[in-house]
Amino acid sequence: MDFVQYKAGADDDGRRLDRIVRRFLSHQTISALYSALRKGFIRVNGRRAATNERVRKGDVISVAQFLIPQQQKKSIKARESFPYEIIFHNEHFLIINKPYDVAVHGKNSIAEAVAAYCNAHRENSSLSFLPGPLHRLDKKTTGVLFFSWSITGARFFSRALKEHALEKQYVALVHGIMPAPCIWKDFIKKTEATAAFHTVRVSSTAKLGSRLAQTRAHAIASGMYEDAPVSLVNFTIATGRTHQIRAQSAFHGFPLLGDTAYGSPALYNNQKLFLHAQKIIIGENPVGLPHEIEAPLPNEFMQMNKKILLNGRK
């Protein structure tokens, strides 16, 4: 019988064998997994092991090939064909430059591709840990997107968000000329979702169910699009509310170019909205992150900038 071998990682250390394989082989029924363990189709360091045995970092877990899902059997292909630009990767994080009009979650999503890529690196990662996105980006937003690659990384990022220890900077094309830097402190409340999408409502005072949203904005450059003034604006968010930049910018008279959900006419380009998560600034940290993570602008965004003939670019 052919076996596939995997080395237990740091996040597997001290976990029960049955809990690891239930996570790693989640496509199998629980009864099938326990049967495979009893019959020796799943082994630790070449021997049969009890279901409640504690696995240690560095242990070799051998799994009968017939138990491995097809997705994991194609791991080499997944490794060679990962479709997204990787900005940074270490033992705790995978950070990509998210493209336009691709969903982070769901079928045929970035999360699925990252999971397949993780399976391709199982020899260097933990069997019981599944990577996941650590923050939100809308389908039509591009730029820096963090995925966890370890429990340590996930916990660090979650704590840093809660403590406002990360600075998130975006750039966007908006209608109008922003004459001076702005600091916006408003309240955002989700509206009822339609079949197609949901929006949020912004108010200057707190309402029942609303949450504080804080954003700094300043214009980097200005130009004209179809005889109307537009600006390239840098946004720094102190909170992470749904549609925060889109909704607040429109509320203050600067709807994002092409953002029909918040008052802009539609664009008839390949890209319909220009909002890019350009940079995340991180302080000193124990997880190997550099001080700044930056994602280059997509080609469509750069071409739009040239088309608008932006001036005053810094």
Side-chain angles (χ1 to χ4, degrees):
M1 182 181 298
D2 292 328
F3 284 81
V4 180
Q5 294 185 334
Y6 303 93
K7 183 176 288 188
D11 294 332
D12 304 314
D13 191 66
R15 289 177 176 263
R16 284 173 45 149
L17 175 61
D18 57 343
R19 292 178 180 173
I20 289 176
V21 297
R22 282 173 61 180
R23 190 80 181 266
F24 175 47
L25 301 172
S26 57
H27 66 292
Q28 297 281 354
T29 65
I30 294 176
S31 60
L33 286 176
Y34 280 102
S35 175
L37 285 163
R38 288 194 304 270
K39 294 176 180 178
F41 296 147
I42 300 171
R43 302 175 182 178
V44 176
N45 298 326
R47 57 173 175 76
R48 294 193 185 196
T51 57
N52 62 351
E53 180 172 325
R54 300 286 176 174
V55 171
R56 297 301 173 188
K57 179 182 177 182
D59 282 351
V60 176
I61 299 176
S62 302
V63 180
Q65 195 172 56
F66 73 88
L67 293 171
I68 307 295
Q70 194 64 28
Q71 183 183 18
Q72 291 181 32
K73 290 178 183 178
K74 296 179 178 179
S75 62
I76 294 176
K77 183 178 180 182
R79 182 185 309 206
E80 294 175 346
S81 61
F82 187 68
Y84 305 110
E85 177 189 356
I86 296 175
I87 302 172
F88 179 84
H89 192 193
N90 69 2
E91 68 270 31
H92 300 300
F93 301 99
L94 175 72
I95 308 173
I96 69 164
N97 188 0
K98 178 189 174 297
Y100 174 77
D101 206 27
V102 181
V104 176
H105 299 278
K107 189 175 181 180
N108 298 321
S109 65
I110 297 174
E112 278 193 349
V114 170
Y117 188 68
C118 179
N119 285 331
H121 291 77
R122 281 293 182 187
E123 67 274 16
N124 297 317
S125 62
S126 296
L127 302 176
S128 56
F129 180 76
L130 298 178
L134 292 171
H135 56 112
R136 297 189 305 267
L137 285 184
D138 292 341
K139 185 176 180 180
K140 296 186 184 300
T141 302
T142 58
V144 177
L145 181 60
F146 274 67
F147 280 82
S148 57
W149 212 251
S150 73
I151 292 175
T152 299
R155 288 173 177 166
F156 166 82
F157 198 89
S158 177
R159 185 171 60 252
L161 283 179
K162 186 176 182 180
E163 296 173 354
H164 304 288
L166 305 176
E167 182 175 293
K168 295 183 181 180
Q169 296 185 8
Y170 293 70
V171 291
L173 289 170
V174 308
H175 288 279
I177 301 297
M178 189 176 289
C182 305
I183 299 177
W184 298 328
K185 294 182 179 181
D186 304 302
F187 295 87
I188 285 179
K189 182 178 180 180
K190 290 184 179 180
T191 60
E192 292 294 328
T194 67
F197 61 89
H198 68 264
T199 57
V200 301
R201 184 175 293 116
V202 182
S203 60
S204 56
T205 57
K207 307 289 184 183
L208 182 64
S210 66
R211 302 179 72 186
L212 177 66
Q214 298 184 63
T215 303
R216 299 199 313 266
H218 71 270
I220 301 170
S222 61
M224 301 291 289
Y225 179 75
E226 295 186 348
D227 299 323
V230 295
S231 297
L232 179 67
V233 175
N234 174 274
F235 294 96
T236 301
I237 59 172
T239 53
R241 310 305 180 209
T242 300
H243 291 190
Q244 178 170 322
I245 291 172
R246 296 168 60 187
Q248 276 193 291
S249 196
F251 181 74
H252 289 277
F254 305 100
L256 270 61
L257 198 66
D259 195 357
T260 56
Y262 293 98
S264 170
L267 293 179
Y268 297 98
N269 301 55
N270 292 331
Q271 189 163 325
K272 313 297 183 187
L273 181 75
F274 295 88
L275 175 60
H276 181 69
Q278 186 174 43
K279 184 184 298 185
I280 291 185
I281 299 175
I282 306 123
E284 290 187 12
N285 63 86
V287 287
L289 288 171
H291 177 60
E292 294 183 358
I293 298 289
E294 186 166 359
L297 282 177
N299 287 332
E300 288 285 346
F301 203 139
M302 291 191 292
Q303 292 303 315
M304 190 63 163
N305 284 349
K306 292 177 181 178
K307 184 176 181 179
I308 291 172
L309 300 175
L310 293 163
N311 59 68
R313 189 179 289 108
K314 297 177 183 178

